[in-house]
Amino acid sequence: FDKYIPHLDVIVNCILWTNKNPRLITKKYLAENPNTKLKVIGDISCDILGGIEITNDVTDPANPCYTYLPKTEKYEVGIKQNGITVMAIDNLPCEFPKEASAEFSHVLKNFVYEIYHANFEKSLDELELSYPIKKALIVHKGKLTKDYLYLNQYLKSE
């Protein structure tokens, strides 16, 4: 992952980490690369000192961020200019606004009937689904759909 870090300003980490896994961001890497572009890490997994080694505490919506200062290996509350800001709200998925959730389900319910009754044995072209649902379909009959073929570069072949 180190080869990608120099190109990143922001990372959102959602990967559960265990001791069996390598870390994505280490204190050592940050100390050895003081000119990194990296400014913000959203650590959704919130594994303390885990995959994102500078995640040393869980935050909450009232105080969502702290900043790690690689030069001194210290932490400061809030967003600071000369460090990497970490947001590690462990219940972040619960923080979506009620209105957004209600609106999404209000729109999605209009498509439930057609999705349920669609014959997914048909080819994608023959599939009787409205445009937004067909466009959102990532995999059909075990294959990536045309708009999502780029994902092949991230898949491992066995």
Side-chain angles (χ1 to χ4, degrees), residues 105-119:
S105 35
H106 176 74
V107 171
L108 186 60
K109 74 179 181 182
N110 297 322
F111 298 102
V112 171
Y113 183 86
E114 76 175 77
I115 293 169
Y116 179 78
H117 290 288
N119 180 355

Side-chain angles (χ1 to χ4, degrees), residues 13-153:
N13 177 50
C14 305
I15 303 169
L16 177 65
W17 184 81
T18 68
N19 289 329
K20 297 176 190 174
N21 304 105
R23 288 184 166 90
L24 294 178
I25 306 288
T26 63
K27 291 179 180 180
K28 179 181 178 195
Y29 176 88
L30 295 173
E32 292 173 356
N33 296 277
N35 296 324
T36 182
K37 289 174 41 179
L38 191 58
K39 295 294 175 206
V40 176
I41 297 175
D43 194 356
I44 309 303
S45 65
C46 300
D47 296 316
I48 304 301
L49 305 175
I52 305 295
E53 192 175 24
I54 64 173
T55 299
N56 78 333
D57 199 4
V58 173
T59 61
D60 62 59
N63 297 300
C65 300
Y66 53 83
T67 299
Y68 176 73
L69 306 167
K71 288 181 182 176
T72 61
E73 294 190 29
K74 303 275 187 214
Y75 294 87
E76 291 189 19
V77 176
I79 300 169
K80 304 298 177 189
Q81 186 71 25
N82 297 321
I84 301 168
T85 299
V86 177
M87 185 274 315
I89 301 174
D90 62 349
N91 66 343
L92 188 62
C94 301
E95 296 297 325
F96 285 114
K98 180 180 175 184
E99 295 83 9
S101 182
E103 181 62 23
F104 179 74
S105 35
H106 176 74
V107 171
L108 186 60
K109 74 179 181 182
N110 297 322
F111 298 102
V112 171
Y113 183 86
E114 76 175 77
I115 293 169
Y116 179 78
H117 290 288
N119 180 355
F120 287 95
E121 294 300 316
K122 291 183 175 182
S123 73
L124 187 60
D125 292 335
E126 298 172 319
L127 203 55
E128 295 173 17
L129 290 173
S130 57
Y131 178 78
I133 299 301
K134 199 179 260 192
K135 191 80 172 152
L137 195 59
I138 297 171
V139 174
H140 179 64
K141 297 177 94 174
K143 305 260 190 240
L144 290 168
T145 58
K146 185 177 83 175
D147 289 337
Y148 298 94
L149 287 173
Y150 71 93
L151 292 172
N152 276 316
Q153 65 185 321

